[in-house]
Each structure stands twice: as structure tokens, then as C-alpha cells.
Amino acid sequence: MFMGMAFMALAKCNECNDDGNFPQKSVPQAIRKAFEKKFPEQTAKWEADDGLIKAEFWKNSLEMEVWFTWEGEWVRTEREVSVYNLPEPVKTTIKSKFPDYRIGAPRWVETPQDSFYEMEIKRRGAPDIYVKISKNGGILQEFCEDVYNR
């Protein structure tokens, strides 16, 4: 199924280069309009990613990624977050549940259904743990690197 989705994405993106990137002019009009409505006056780098179109850009010195379907439907937005700017309930949950770990690559994620923080929790000699946490500190999902890479 995954291979079929990947093939369909590449078939739709006849101007993609080897790494899936493609020029702004090749982005379908529906996607460009949806992006411009959500992020006016932003310029993005575009690529095909897992059967979707992803826009990458910087806003207020933070990296952002936005995914759309080929029909222009918004799927997900991710914004880079500094560890220091995580809400206190999130930091408290991490400190109490993972006391010997450090936080890596935190991101604020928004989808049509939900919003949450997503990050890696790392400790030397142990598999990385990926965790999704609500802004109130509730753990929504947690899984080890070994499970994530299957």
C-alpha cells in the first residue's frame, strides 16, 4: 500500500527532482491557494513527502512544515519549539516520567483533529522514546525508537 501511495505521489509530481523537491510553479493551484490563505506572504520550499505535499519555510526564526493533500486539503502543521519555551506542564511531565532523559527536537503540531507537542526523549545507552504530549502535560502517545523504525 505504501509503495502504491509513493508511486502515485511521484506520478503526480512529474517535475520532482531525485529528492522529491519541486519548483513553486509545479505546486498544484489548490495547494498554493490553501498555503497562501493559511500563511500569507510566506515563501516555501516544496517537496513530495509520503504521498503528500510538504511546504518548508521559516517564520519568526522558527522552522515550519505544512502538509497538504494533492487536492489542497490541509493535513498538518509542525513548528519548531525551543526546549526553554515548552509549557511548564509539559516540562513537569517529562521531568517526572523521564527523569534521566533529555528532550530533543520538540515541535508543536496542529492537525484538523488535535494539537500537541511531539518530541524525542533521549538517554545515553537507551533507545530514544518518541512522545506526544498535550499542552496541559498529558501523555497522548509514547513509543520507543525500535517501534518507530519498523
Side-chain angles (χ1 to χ4, degrees), residues 56-70:
E56 294 179 344
F57 60 100
W58 291 83
K59 184 176 180 184
N60 300 326
S61 300
L62 297 171
E63 182 182 29
M64 296 190 67
E65 298 176 344
V66 183
W67 283 264
F68 295 93
T69 65
W70 284 89

Side-chain angles (χ1 to χ4, degrees), residues 1-115:
M1 187 168 120
F2 173 75
M3 293 300 290
M5 287 176 57
F7 178 76
M8 287 175 39
L10 290 174
K12 288 184 179 183
C13 183
N14 58 4
E15 292 188 41
C16 292
N17 60 24
D18 290 341
D19 62 2
N21 294 330
F22 56 99
Q24 170 83 16
K25 66 182 170 88
S26 298
V27 176
Q29 184 69 22
I31 295 171
R32 282 193 307 224
K33 283 185 177 184
F35 178 78
E36 290 168 5
K37 182 178 180 182
K38 203 160 186 56
F39 300 99
E41 301 181 25
Q42 291 292 327
T43 303
K45 180 181 106 181
W46 296 90
E47 66 181 73
D49 187 356
D50 201 20
L52 301 170
I53 299 290
K54 178 174 71 171
E56 294 179 344
F57 60 100
W58 291 83
K59 184 176 180 184
N60 300 326
S61 300
L62 297 171
E63 182 182 29
M64 296 190 67
E65 298 176 344
V66 183
W67 283 264
F68 295 93
T69 65
W70 284 89
E71 294 74 35
E73 182 182 333
W74 171 70
V75 174
R76 175 182 180 108
T77 300
E78 290 187 14
R79 177 176 45 89
E80 181 179 62
V81 178
S82 165
V83 172
Y84 304 106
N85 291 332
L86 289 171
E88 284 306 316
V90 172
K91 290 181 197 178
T92 300
T93 296
I94 298 297
K95 286 178 190 173
S96 66
K97 179 134 173 91
F98 309 99
D100 297 331
Y101 285 73
R102 63 180 173 80
I103 298 170
R107 301 182 76 71
W108 174 246
V109 179
E110 295 176 273
T111 70
Q113 299 79 28
D114 205 1
S115 299

Side-chain angles (χ1 to χ4, degrees), residues 83 86-104 106 117-123 129-134 136-142:
V83 172
L86 289 171
E88 284 306 316
V90 172
K91 290 181 197 178
T92 300
T93 296
I94 298 297
K95 286 178 190 173
S96 66
K97 179 134 173 91
F98 309 99
D100 297 331
Y101 285 73
R102 63 180 173 80
I103 298 170
Y117 290 92
E118 185 175 76
M119 64 200 78
E120 299 169 69
I121 309 297
K122 300 173 175 248
R123 184 177 78 190
I129 298 172
Y130 294 85
V131 63
K132 293 180 182 179
I133 302 177
S134 72
N136 299 323
I139 294 181
L140 305 172
Q141 187 178 16
E142 168 187 342

